[in-house]
Amino acid sequence: VTAFTDPVREMDKLHTLYDSLMDARRQHGEEVVPFHKFAALVKTQVTKLKANGNEEVAFRVAVKDGKVAFTAKGLKHDK
């Protein structure tokens, strides 16, 4: 799980997440996605979920039923 508040300013985490997702996709015979498309998807999800009141967005790479799943979940912090 990797959480972002601003993926543009967290490029190291973005590259690490991309590498783990692409490694999982390769291991399961799925196509590799170009980094720029992946980065755009992450930025879109962060923008959308932050607009809904989340301070951070957590992304998870998992394998379910032999397929790679990439999910985003908004995180709200207690104040």
Side-chain angles (χ1 to χ4, degrees), residues 16-53:
T16 300
L17 181 60
Y18 174 79
D19 291 342
S20 65
L21 177 60
M22 293 310 118
D23 287 346
R25 290 180 66 96
R26 281 187 207 95
Q27 289 174 5
H28 290 86
E30 297 181 26
E31 285 186 38
V32 173
V33 176
F35 180 79
H36 71 278
K37 286 188 178 187
F38 168 79
L41 171 72
V42 170
K43 185 176 180 216
T44 299
Q45 289 297 315
V46 169
T47 300
K48 179 179 159 186
L49 290 166
K50 284 183 81 172
N52 290 338

